[in-house]
Structure formats: structure tokens, C-alpha cells
């Protein structure tokens, strides 16, 4: 998409007024600060964690007074607003630096954690992740994650994957296998440092291999778009490879979860077979059913609220299903997304886009903050062994993905520069990696230190993509802009802004 | 608003297809049932109430397994969907019977409670208000109530109230004072039956007077619209009177709360003075501030998510403020609504309308269910004293409001039929009464039995409005329809349907 098609997305308002990012950040910050002051004056800050939402039960209602649901509601909303404001600020800053906004949002989450702000000013945690509202905020972060994976699934283009040719098939497999094998081998070295207590070597190695071979499809898509590669062979090829990688990576991640969770090889086999069967049934049976329901809903003019409920139930129930099966809730959410693919002009897609837009701005940042709260860089920097392991992981990840992809692409007949470009693009790991790491941490596959090191790896590999493309002179920002478009700085984001009307 | 302007709101799809209500009810019901079966198969139904959301905290995340946030999320969403579906069904049925939909929604909430379904099939509570998800559902119900009051405040037209003439001033005061005095007097009789333990006579009498003199502005507005009175003197006069009544009723309710909560006459005086001061400050200082922020947000093209957060923070913080002050959270929400009045074509109003639309369909029904769970008709019908007290309350409420208004209007120079019509219209109590009663129950002013009896009174007085207007031949449904509009049955709602795009 060129700039000319998205005049509003140029980072400046059309009339040449103040930059549009002010519009996002300041009202939230101002209102958060103003309300924070108001609340502090009212002595609102010092509630007990126990009396969270339980007080609102109808049985207790007649008791009168005591605890206040209005306090919980306000607390959660304030934390949500503060987190969203900081994430928006981070996203805008990242865009100014020529990085995808999501990097800034993740960085904002990390900076709020014990690595920076919470380490320096422990009281800040009470603003961004208050103790008493934490259960509810964590739940909302989980909702944000599920809805994000739901959107990723919706945007996933199965048809395009089928259309892509032999080169894509070979390259994507190699760009998956090389880092996977290297990652699994490096597990031999870092097992003692990085594996969670009581986890076997096999699931740990599968997980580490998966973590190394992830490609962030959503972030990649945005980078491809922003660097003007969307309509060039390199761009479409990278997207197709990334999609194929995504599918394989989800499968190996599910495998690692199944092996770790089922306490035995037969249990793992059973879980994998069950997961495969559920996936096939959901896609074969569910897709036409959902499509029929969708058509019927259009005919019967089903209102928005019912559509919202339908989509939420679909995403949450499949997420719950895969969670119960012993693979992570994210798989079910992704599967649910495959059932409701985005269609331009479709009414259901409009509702989905609206949910996704609000989710990315409000709930997903909460997920980044929960990640940031778990990442503690200060715990890693002090220990030489961990640092070395971290460097090893980073080198293996970059070399495995970048070199593995580039060499395969070159031997499949692509020119060197394009092959390297493909490697650079597929090396971006972005949010997908963070989601996978968080799932591994929750499933007890890796420990906190491994999580921290791997999150850093994810951020570094994503951040290096833009500059590396510039270095290879593969970025086509200016040439892709339609004639007549203002010659704005390439770093002010040209990404499409998803917006509710 | 005439039918011709709202072709979609006629209850039938424009092409003469199946009635539109099927579109709301069936997908929700079908998906709820299908998912219920799915969940039952997965053995999802039997969680422990303790492990609610707390498990999702990041400290516990590394533990792995154990409890599942995805379960809580799905449970809450399922309950929400089930309640919304039943409420939508009730609303549509009520419309078919010529009643405002909100009556059906309230009735649905009551029928889910111990009076009917929960009394006959106790297990049904696990579907509509499951034990383990109850804290969160109650919290969401509270959010629904606050957002409802916020919307009521936004739709409240202060300017129209100022414009209305002498007759309105006299009639509204009389239509308030007569039932208030009668209600306060009847408190002498029912104090022993209806007052909560430990509550003094004065606050109880003030509350009962208030409960008698409530007029439901939102329901009234809808009835006026649906009976084609919106552009006739009777309609506008009734609306103006109701608005004035609303203001007075909120004041006396706040007074009752203050007297009950502050434990002494001086405390009550302090609370009342504080509440008055806060109201004046919020309206005088806050209104221009919010208006300036709104204009600036339009100029800076602030995205929807930020506007949503801003509106939620405004509503929740003022709700919290009045809650802390010892009057109920609903006052703050109403005040917050006054700060952001609806303006046609305004972008903030569009966002507000979107929030309100989703809220009325999803969260407010939860509030009706929490009301329904507290109302137990079977506990009342068995006892003669309670029944008598209930009849007394009903008679006093109807006679006080209807006769009081009609006589005053007649003596102010209006013809008899119009005067009676005004009385009939102002006698509708609707949701406002339910909100007030719930607040009184929570503040420990009335007991459960009084709550039940007064809820019945609210429903009866609202239900009788439509038929009474028909009896007086004051309903102008057909004459108000624009020429060319199809001659649909008057009972299929002509009310405007608020919809997100």
C-alpha cells in the first residue's frame, strides 16, 4: 500500500498541523495523571488485595458498605489506560526510529518491568500493574493474547500459501529446519542454565529449536509493507515463507507442549494425534459451518453485539479446548481465526477489525506488560554463564535463520542479494516469538532467565531487520510512493492504521 | 422520529423476510447451546470457585498447569452470552406485546432468579450466573449499571428543562411531592416489614418517598416516542416533567443515602453539602474543560481507543468519587454523563453511542439478572403481611403519582384528558426505579422483601402505561407515521434501534 492511498497514516495530520501521535499520547497521559491525582487525594490508593471483586456478589449486597466494586473497576481502568498510554508512546517513538511500532510497545512493557522502572521505582508497579487489580489485569492480558492470536489466524492466508511455488516450499522448510536443528543442538549447551526444573531434555530441545526458528508473520508483513516490498517478488516470497514457517512452528511448539505436559511418550503421541484430529475437524467441519452462519447472519441482519459475542465465544471456546488438551490456548485462538478469515467488505470482518483494533491498543499492551514484569535483565547481566548462553542463543538464532535461508534460496536459483534479503526478513521474530516464549514459560519448559534471554533475542532480531534491509539497499520506500505524495521522512510510519469508524 | 425515517426499526426486514428479532435471538441461543454441550463434554463444568482469576498472576505463571485463566474467560463469556440471549428474547417478546423492550429484559432477569427458573431448576444458575465466575460477572453488572447511568446523563437535556414553562414547573413539583409525601407516610405502616436491620426511620421514609416518586425518564422517552406523542405538547410536557422529577429524585435519594451512611445528622449535612459542592464544581468547571478536550481531540484526530478510555475513565472515576462520598456510584456516572452531552454528528457522541449500544445488549442484562437473583417472589407470596404491604405500596405509588399529577395539571389549566395522560406517563418507573431500589438495598436502607415488592411495583407501573394510554385514546401511533410507511402492527417496535455501524 502506498502513501497516497493512506494519507492519514503519514504520521502528520493532512492539514500540516501538529503530528498525529500527539493525539494518541497526550489525552491518555493527561487524563491518567489528572485522575491519578484525583484518586490519590481521595485516599483511593490503599485497598487490600483480598476484597477484590467478591464484594459485589448479590448475597453480600444486603450487607451494605464494606467493599466497593467501583474501586476495582476504576483501578483496572486506570491501569489499563496507563499501560495503553505508555504502549502508544513506545509505538510512536519506535515508528519515529524507523522500527515497527510493536517493538516500541514491547519495549515499553519491558521498561515498566523490574529491568528498568519497577527496579528503580518499585512504587510504579502500583500504577501500571497494581497488586489488588492484578488477577483481573492478568485475565485481561490473557484475553488480549487470545484475541491477538485470533486476529493473526483471521489474517492468515491459506490460499496464498497453496499458490506459492517450489522455491517457497524449499526455502521455507530450510529456513525452518536449519535454525531448528541448530537450536536443538544448542540446547545441549544451555539445558542446565535455561531448562525449568524437572523438565526433560527432549521437550526442552524441541522448544528451543522452535524458539530459534520462529518468524513473526504479522511483524514481517508490516515490515514488508513499510519498506515498499509488498508488490515485489521478494516481499511476497518472504510472506509466503513466513506463513509456511508459522504453520510448522506452531506444530513443533504443540509437540513440545504435548511431550512436556503428558508425562510420557504415549501421552505425547495421544495429545499430538488429538490435536491433529481436532485441527482437521475444526477446519473441515467448522469452516463451512461458520461460513453458513455468517451468510445467514448477513441475511438476517444480526446486530453487532450478537456478532461480537459470537466471535468471542468462538475464540475463547477453541482456546479453552486446546488448553484442556494440553497444548496452549493460543493454538485454539489461532484455529478460531482460521475459521473466520478476513474478507474485504464483509460485515463480520468489519466487526473483527473493530475488536482487533481496540484489542491491539488496549488489551495487548497489558500482555506486553505481563511479559515485561517477568523479564528481569538485571538478573541476567550479573552472571557470566547466563550472558554467554545469551550470546550463544542470539548468534545461533541469527546465523541459523539468516544464513540457512540465504544459502538455500541462493542454491534454489535466486540472486545473492535477494537471498540475503529473504534471510534478513525471515529473521524478524517479533510478537510471535514473545507469545511462544510466554507459552513455554507458562508450560514450565524454560525458566525465567531463559525467558529473559530469549525475549532479548526476539527484540534484537526484529530491530535489526530494518537497518539490515537498508544496508542491502533492498528498502524501496521512496520508489513505491505514488507520484504526488509528499516526501515525508521514511521513518514516520506508513503502516496502515486500523481504526474503528 | 417517524417510521419512514427508520425503515429498519420496523421489526421486519425491509424485503419482507422473516422478522428481525430472529436475527438477534437464534444465533446467540444456538451458539450458547452448542458451546454448552461442547463444554460439558470437556468436563469443563466443575471448577472450584477459589481458583478464579488469581492463577493468572505472573508470579504463578512459572508454576505451569494448575489453574487456567482460559476457563474463567470462557465461563464469563458463556454466562454473558446466555444472559444477553435471554434478555434479547425477553425484549423482543415485550415489544410484540406492545411493551417497552426493557420490561422484557427486566422480566427475563426476574425469571432467571429464584422466583422462577432458579427456584425450579437450581442447576440453571450455573449457566446464567455460575458460582465460580460470579465475582467477575457482578463486577461486569456494576460496569453495565455505571455505563447505563452515564448514558442516561448524556441524554439528559438540561437546556430543554430550562426552556420548559411554568406549567411544567408546577406539575413536575406536584408529581414529585404528592407521591413522595404519601410514600413517606406509608413508611409509618411498612417500616417494620420493609426496613433493613438497624436503619433509622428518617432515611427509610425518605427512601420510600423517593422510590414512590420516581419517573423513569429513559423508558418514558421511549414510550412517548413509540406512541407517537414525541412532537405533541403532551409528549414534550411529560418529558420535561420527567426530567425535572429525575433531578429532584436523585437529590432526595442522595439525601437518604447520606443520612443512612453518615451515622448522624451532622455527617448527613456534611455529605449533602459535599455532594452539592462536587456537583456544582463538576458541572461548572468540568463541562467547559471536557468540551475543550473534545474539540481538541477532534482537531488532533484522536483515535477511537483513546476516546473509549477517556469516556470510561470519566464515568468510572466520578462513580468512584460519589461512592467514596457515601452517595451511590450511579450519581457520579450520571454526573459524568452530564459532562459529555449527546450532540448529533459529534465524533465523541458516536463513540458514546457505540459503547452504550454494546452495554445495553451485553452488560446491562447482567445487572437485570443480579436484580433477578435478589428478587424472590415465593418468599413474599406466602406471607399475608408482606402481601398487604405490597398492595399498599402499589396503590400509594399509582394514586400518588397518577392522581397527584393529573389533579395539579388540571388545576394549572390543562384539559382533563391531557392531565390524566400526563399522570399515566409519569407513573412509568422502569429501570430508573430498579436502579434506585438496588442502590437502596446495597446501602442497607431496605430489606430483601421490600426490594422484591418494590421491584414488582416498578414493573407493574411501567407495564400499565401503554394500555392506560390506549384507554385514554392518547396513543397516536398511526397518525404519526409518515404517509407511505407500511401499516405494520403498532406492537412491533417502532423505537429507534441504536446500532454500531
Amino acid at each position: 500500500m502506498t502513501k497516497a492511498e493512506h494519507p492519514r497514516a503519514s504520521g502528520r495530520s493532512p492539514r500540516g498541523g501538529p503530528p498525529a501521535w500527539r493525539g494518541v499520547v497526550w489525552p491518555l497521559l493527561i487524563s491518567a495523571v489528572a485522575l491519578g491525582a484525583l484518586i490519590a487525594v481521595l485516599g483511593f490508593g490503599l485497598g487490600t488485595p483480598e476484597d477484590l471483586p467478591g464484594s459485589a456478589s448479590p448475597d453480600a449486597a444486603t450487607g451494605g458498605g464494606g467493599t466497593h466494586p467501583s474501586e476495582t473497576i476504576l483501578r483496572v481502568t486506570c491501569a489499563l489506560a496507563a499501560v495503553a498510554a505508555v504502549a502508544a508512546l513506545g509505538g510512536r517513538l519506535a515508528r519515529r526510529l524507523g522500527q515497527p511500532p510493536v517493538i516500541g510497545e514491547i519495549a515499553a512493557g519491558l521498561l515498566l518491568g523490574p529491568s528498568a522502572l519497577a527496579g528503580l521505582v518499585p512504587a510504579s508497579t502500583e500504577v501500571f500493574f497494581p497488586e489488588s487489580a492484578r488477577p483481573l489485569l492478568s485475565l485481561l492480558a490473557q484475553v488480549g493474547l487470545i484475541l491477538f492470536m485470533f486476529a493473526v489466524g483471521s489474517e492468515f492466508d491459506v490460499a496464498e500459501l497453496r499458490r506459492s511455488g517450489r522455491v517457497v516450499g524449499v526455502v521455507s522448510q530450510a529456513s525452518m529446519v536449519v535454525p531448528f536443528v541448530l537450536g536443538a543442538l544448542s540446547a545441549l549447551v544451555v539445558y542446565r542454565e535455561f531448562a525449568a526444573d524437572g523438565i526433560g531434555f527432549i521437550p526442552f530441545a524441541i522448544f528451543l529449536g522452535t524458539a530459534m526458528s520462529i518468524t513473526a508473520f504479522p511483524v514481517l508483513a508490516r515490515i514488508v509493507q513499510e519498506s515498499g516490498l509488498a508488490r515485489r517478488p521478494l516481499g511476497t516470497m518472504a510472506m509466503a515463507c513466513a506463513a509456511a514457517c508459522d504453520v510448522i512452528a506452531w506444530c513443533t511448539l504443540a509437540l513440545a507442549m504435548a511431550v512436556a505436559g503428558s508425562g510420557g511418550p504415549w501421552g505425547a503421541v495421544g495429545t499430538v494425534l488429538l490435536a491433529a484430529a481436532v485441527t482437521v475437524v475444526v477446519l473441515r467441519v467448522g469452516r463451512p459451518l461458520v461460513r453458513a452462519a455468517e451468510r445467514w447472519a448477513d441475511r438476517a441482519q444480526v446486530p453487532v453485539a450478537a456478532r461480537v459475542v459470537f466471535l468471542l465465544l468462538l475464540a475463547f471456546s477453541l482456546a479453552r479446548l486446546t488448553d484442556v488438551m494440553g497444548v496452549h490456548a493460543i493454538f485454539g485462538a489461532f484455529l478460531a481465526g482460521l475459521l473466520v478469515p478476513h474478507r474485504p467488505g464483509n460485515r463480520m470482518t468489519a466487526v473483527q477489525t473493530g475488536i482487533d483494533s481496540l484489542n491491539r491498543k488496549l488489551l495487548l499492551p497489558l500482555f506486553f506488560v505481563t511479559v515485561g514484569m517477568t523479564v528481569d535483565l538485571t538478573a541476567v547481566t550479573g552472571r557470566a554463564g547466563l550472558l554467554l548462553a545469551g550470546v550463544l542463543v542470539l548468534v545461533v538464532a541469527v546465523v541459523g535463520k539468516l544464513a540457512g535461508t540465504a544459502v538455500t534460496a541462493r542454491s534454489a536459483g535466486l540472486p545473492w542479494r535477494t537471498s540475503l534479503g529473504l534471510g534478513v526478513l525471515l529473521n524478524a521474530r517479533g510478537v510471535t516469538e514473545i507469545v511462544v516464549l510466554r507459552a513455554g514459560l507458562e508450560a514450565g519448559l524454560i525458566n525465567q532467565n531463559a525467558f529473559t534471554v530469549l525475549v532479548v533475542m526476539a527484540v534484537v532480531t526484529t530491530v535489526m531487520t530494518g537497518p539490515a534491509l537498508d544496508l542491502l539497499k533492498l528498502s524501496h520506500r521512496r520508489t513505491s510512493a505514488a507520484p504526488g505524495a509528499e516526501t515525508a521522512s521514511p521513518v514516520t510510519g506508513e503502516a496502515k492504521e486500523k481504526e474503528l469508524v
Side-chain angles (χ1 to χ4, degrees), chain A:
Chain A
M1 286 262 151
T2 61
K3 267 188 74 68
E5 289 167 67
H6 284 288
R8 272 206 191 174
S10 67
R12 294 189 168 266
S13 68
R15 278 172 237 145
W21 60 267
R22 282 204 197 150
V24 186
V25 176
W26 290 120
L28 284 172
L29 276 183
I30 292 168
S31 53
V33 168
L35 285 164
L38 182 75
I39 293 150
V41 168
L42 291 170
F44 151 82
L46 301 159
T48 50
E50 291 86 342
D51 57 40
L52 193 56
S55 61
S57 81
D59 307 334
T62 45
T67 50
H68 298 276
S70 64
E71 179 175 342
T72 310
I73 294 168
L74 182 56
R75 253 170 206 278
V76 168
T77 314
C78 281
L80 203 70
V83 167
V86 172
L89 188 62
R92 297 286 164 167
L93 282 178
R95 191 171 277 181
R96 298 232 135 195
L97 298 171
Q99 292 291 338
V102 78
I103 279 293
E105 287 162 19
I106 296 172
L110 297 187
L111 290 178
L112 293 181
S115 306
L117 188 63
L120 295 170
V121 191
S124 69
T125 313
E126 267 308 298
V127 175
F128 295 102
F129 214 55
E131 185 71 35
S132 65
R134 198 162 294 178
L136 217 52
L137 287 172
S138 296
L139 206 67
L140 289 175
Q142 193 75 14
V143 170
L145 176 60
I146 291 176
L147 289 181
F148 172 71
M149 289 306 296
F150 182 55
V152 171
S154 294
E155 288 166 7
F156 191 86
D157 195 342
V158 180
E160 191 173 310
L161 194 57
R162 284 204 192 116
R163 274 197 303 274
S164 59
R166 196 189 59 87
V167 175
V168 166
V170 173
V171 171
S172 62
Q173 275 170 43
S175 77
M176 204 46 216
V177 169
V178 177
F180 186 88
V181 170
L182 286 180
L185 285 178
S186 69
L188 287 168
V189 184
V190 298
Y191 177 58
R192 210 164 285 176
E193 286 281 13
F194 280 179
D197 289 342
I199 195 74
F201 178 74
I202 299 290
F204 175 73
I206 298 176
F207 180 78
L208 202 63
T210 307
M212 296 296 191
S213 50
I214 288 288
T215 284
F217 188 77
V219 171
L220 180 81
R222 187 165 270 204
I223 291 175
V224 163
Q225 219 170 46
E226 288 180 6
S227 46
L229 295 171
R231 289 179 198 161
R232 289 167 181 265
L234 177 58
T236 50
M237 202 180 295
M239 303 268 277
C241 285
C245 284
D246 249 13
V247 173
I248 308 173
W250 292 127
C251 293
T252 56
L253 178 61
L255 186 68
M257 299 258 166
V259 174
S262 50
W266 291 114
V269 170
T271 305
V272 168
L273 286 180
L274 184 62
V278 164
T279 305
V280 170
V281 168
V282 164
L283 289 183
R284 289 272 153 186
V285 180
R287 242 180 129 129
L289 271 183
V290 168
R291 186 84 189 102
E294 232 180 290
R295 278 207 202 91
W296 172 83
D298 283 341
R299 257 199 332 272
Q301 301 185 335
V302 171
V304 170
R307 285 166 191 262
V308 169
V309 168
F310 173 75
L311 291 173
L312 294 185
L313 277 180
L314 190 69
F316 295 156
S317 57
L318 283 179
R320 176 71 188 139
L321 179 65
T322 50
D323 207 1
V324 167
M325 279 162 48
V327 292
H328 199 271
I330 49 178
F331 296 101
F334 182 78
L335 260 183
L338 291 180
L339 291 180
V340 203
H342 276 190
R343 291 187 184 85
N346 186 298
R347 227 189 140 191
M348 196 66 98
T349 301
V351 175
Q352 265 176 301
T353 315
I355 296 175
D356 187 38
S357 160
L358 283 179
N359 181 52
R360 277 183 210 234
K361 280 171 190 152
L362 297 181
L363 298 186
L364 195 60
L366 270 184
F367 171 69
F368 295 139
V369 168
T370 62
V371 169
M373 289 289 160
T374 331
V375 167
D376 188 358
L377 285 176
T378 54
V380 175
T381 45
R383 289 166 59 188
L386 275 176
L387 269 181
L388 275 176
V391 172
L392 174 71
V393 159
L394 184 60
V395 169
V396 166
V398 173
V399 169
K401 197 77 182 187
L402 207 160
T405 309
V407 170
T408 324
R410 177 77 189 97
S411 54
L414 294 180
W416 260 119
R417 210 159 62 106
T418 313
S419 306
L420 273 174
L422 209 51
V424 164
L425 280 172
L426 292 181
N427 189 39
R429 283 174 177 80
V431 199
T432 313
E433 180 79 53
I434 307 273
V435 169
V436 167
L437 295 177
R438 181 79 194 175
L441 181 66
E442 276 172 15
L445 285 161
I446 52 172
N447 61 27
Q448 294 254 1
N449 289 332
F451 182 72
T452 301
V453 165
L454 289 167
V455 165
V456 172
M457 183 271 280
V459 171
V460 170
T461 55
T462 312
V463 165
M464 66 192 278
T465 308
L469 280 183
D470 283 340
L471 209 68
L472 288 167
K473 302 207 194 311
L474 277 165
S475 204
H476 291 264
R477 284 180 190 120
R478 276 165 204 85
T479 50
S480 77
E486 53 172 320
T487 54
S489 153
V491 292
T492 56
E494 290 160 30
K496 70 175 171 188
E497 280 257 46
K498 282 183 190 162
E499 272 267 314
L500 273 169
V501 179

